[in-house]
Amino acid sequence: FFERSLPYEERRALIGTPLRKQIRVFGEPEAFGLQEDTIIREFIAFYERRGEREVILHDVIAVLIEGKQRGIPTGLVTSKNREELANTLPRLGIASFIDTAITADDIAHPKPAPDGLLLALDRLAISSRDAPEAVYIGDTVHDMRAAKSAEIRRIAVTWGATPGHLLALEQPTHLASTAAELRSQLF
């Protein structure tokens, strides 16, 4: 749409930000005679055509399921919009293990602002007094910054979008390199 790209590391750093923000890194759609919604629909279609490239981490999903079976309230706070999440959740098979899901469409200020996490805590009936006992698991610096601003514990996982050394700079409560480490830190 914009006939420009970014170096790989700069593109990768966009992961964890809402698609609407990612688009504008390349330019203002209106300046190119484009509609933002057209670009979003095309991006989602492009991504969905390549869905077979997704790698589902079943050992990580098992940790989520175990948490739910232990009675732990579970929420998902994502920078994806509602349509992106609606496409992704069925492939993951985790919808029934999540008590609430917050998308970038649900809040005015997405990550790294804490708004999504605070809304999730509210929907899970976790008071501000109990928020420090909550845990947010994320794979981007945006996740770590949002959790820090929300004043909740944060576990950075290194198998996602951001290299471990960059996550460590955000001083997470814990850093997990495997699902087994994540499980140990949670339970």
Side-chain angles (χ1 to χ4, degrees):
F1 288 100
F2 300 104
E3 297 186 17
R4 82 180 269 241
S5 186
L6 295 172
Y8 174 77
E9 289 303 320
E10 288 181 44
R11 288 192 318 267
R12 187 176 171 120
L14 293 174
I15 296 172
T17 60
L19 186 52
R20 291 184 189 285
K21 282 189 170 188
Q22 290 178 19
I23 289 168
R24 294 189 184 292
V25 167
F26 294 93
E28 294 295 323
E30 298 77 14
F32 289 83
L34 302 165
Q35 296 294 315
E36 180 182 81
D37 288 343
T38 301
I39 297 169
I40 288 173
R41 279 192 306 275
E42 180 56 33
F43 174 86
I44 292 171
F46 178 87
Y47 187 82
E48 291 303 312
R49 287 191 301 270
R50 287 152 183 80
E52 77 282 350
R53 294 181 180 184
E54 279 182 341
V55 177
I56 297 175
L57 303 174
H58 296 285
D59 52 346
V60 175
I61 290 174
V63 174
L64 168 69
I65 293 169
E66 181 178 349
K68 188 64 182 154
Q69 290 170 337
R70 288 175 177 244
I72 298 171
T74 57
L76 173 66
V77 179
T78 180
S79 293
K80 290 183 180 296
N81 61 41
R82 283 187 204 106
E83 184 178 353
E84 289 174 286
L85 185 60
N87 291 338
T88 304
L89 273 181
R91 287 194 297 273
L92 298 176
I94 62 171
S96 62
F97 301 104
I98 297 171
D99 297 314
T100 191
I102 310 296
T103 72
D105 292 333
D106 298 319
I107 50 175
H109 307 287
K111 295 182 276 183
D115 300 28
L117 280 74
L118 296 173
L119 179 57
L121 291 172
D122 183 61
R123 287 186 181 174
L124 294 169
I126 297 172
S127 70
S128 59
R129 181 176 44 91
D130 294 329
E133 296 304 310
V135 178
Y136 186 68
I137 302 162
D139 67 348
T140 71
V141 296
H142 313 293
D143 293 324
M144 296 302 102
R145 291 172 184 169
K148 184 175 183 177
S149 293
E151 298 181 357
I152 62 177
R153 293 181 296 158
R154 53 209 177 277
I155 299 177
V157 296
T158 62
W159 54 78
T162 304
H165 70 280
L166 294 178
L167 290 168
L169 292 174
E170 297 298 321
Q171 300 178 327
T173 311
H174 298 287
L175 190 68
S177 297
T178 66
E181 287 179 10
L182 175 61
R183 184 184 182 282
S184 174
Q185 292 163 359
L186 286 172
F187 310 129

